[in-house]
Amino acid sequence: MKRKVIIDCDPGIDDSLALILALNSPELDVVGITIVSGNVKAEQGAKNALKVLKLMKREDIKVYIGEEVPLVRELITAQDTHGEDGLGETNYKEADVEINYGGVDFILENARRGDISVIALGPLTNLAKAIGRDEEAFNMINEIVSMGGAFKSHGNCSQVAEFNYWVDPHGVKEVFEKSKVPFSMVGLDVTREIILTPNLIELIKQIGGEVAEFIVNITRFYVDFHWEQERTLGCVINDPLAVAYFIDRSICEGFTSYLDIVTEGIAIGQTLVDVGEFYRKEHNGLVLTKVDSKKFMKIFLERIFKDNKKDIEIVINNEKYGLI
Ligand code: BDR
Ligand code: CA
């Protein structure tokens, strides 16, 4: 049985990889893509989502622009990380498809219809607005899996804050406080372990095909950024882990907790995970802390080559990744 999902995102290099993974996953029925401002402004994000849909020959899926600014803070984008165009300055040709607006209403309409989940790969502004507009409908959503936040890991925007939650902490707070929907936080504790290494990128290039070429091209800028910023080789691909976890729960493990977020001051955007039960509040989320990165990579590789199977046995550092 396919599960119906809306992918709420801000593409974004790793968002684009997550979209490719979702579109090649038989377990998912992607009913629409909603866009929020984050890595780039929402309009650019929508253009990028459409480029991915064109590449994947899935232009039947509609893209809806949602909120263009965070609830309270001024928008701060991440074009230093993702490039001016959000796709590593590859400037792929725009798809000739109309962009829709009304992302928040699209989420609510689907919630009212029932049997829908949301995989959120950007700031939570669209979800926060949806809950503010119609809490009852919002709470009909089956599940939210959100890439964002950090528990023990250091941040990537400040010592303590992860980008998605730092961009719109008030949006996150609204969701944490009002939502009754089961919520999983796929934060930096687990996503930092998902690294597209130079070896893997070379492998993707060698296996080849249109999708592979796109991945190699858009990740180049991201790899350079990681080297400049952290002196690491390769790039951390956060967002596809949220999709993979949605499909296969055995990829990550964690615990439920009461979650809150800091909305001002030096620690703005820091996720508060009440692991010690100091606040004695009802648990409002599942925090993922362990990840089987090899299992993730196996799923990711198999699926990006779904339409270009070569039956090559992949072995990297004596680890078998199976037939691609
Ligand atoms: C998150 O921030 C964005 O830059 C990525 O797309 C990802 O969603 C990682 O902190
Ligand atoms: Ca993202």
Side-chain angles (χ1 to χ4, degrees), residues 28-126:
L28 304 184
D29 173 9
V30 180
V31 302
I33 298 173
T34 51
I35 307 290
V36 63
S37 285
N39 289 321
V40 286
K41 287 187 179 170
E43 196 179 323
Q44 182 63 45
K47 287 180 183 166
N48 294 344
L50 287 168
K51 287 179 188 179
V52 176
L53 290 173
K54 184 175 172 204
L55 169 79
M56 304 303 287
K57 302 184 178 56
R58 288 303 310 271
E59 283 157 299
D60 56 301
I61 298 175
K62 292 216 161 69
V63 174
Y64 299 86
I65 293 183
E67 293 302 301
E68 302 189 63
V69 286
L71 291 195
V72 178
R73 289 194 87 181
E74 284 214 354
L75 175 66
I76 304 172
T77 59
Q79 278 149 308
D80 58 336
T81 317
H82 295 262
E84 274 307 306
D85 67 344
L87 287 182
E89 299 191 354
T90 47
N91 291 308
Y92 275 96
K93 197 167 162 282
E94 279 175 28
D96 192 16
V97 178
E98 206 185 315
I99 303 178
N100 305 289
Y101 284 80
V104 172
D105 287 329
F106 180 77
I107 293 171
L108 287 171
E109 275 156 29
N110 279 278
R112 285 184 202 108
R113 230 172 267 146
D115 191 26
I116 191 79
S117 295
V118 178
I119 304 178
L121 308 175
L124 297 185
T125 324
N126 284 344

Side-chain angles (χ1 to χ4, degrees), residues 8-15 39 82 120-123 147 163-164 238-239:
D8 185 61
C9 57
D10 59 337
I13 296 170
D14 58 337
D15 298 78
N39 289 321
H82 295 262
L121 308 175
M147 189 284 129
F163 178 77
N164 288 337
N238 307 277
D239 292 338

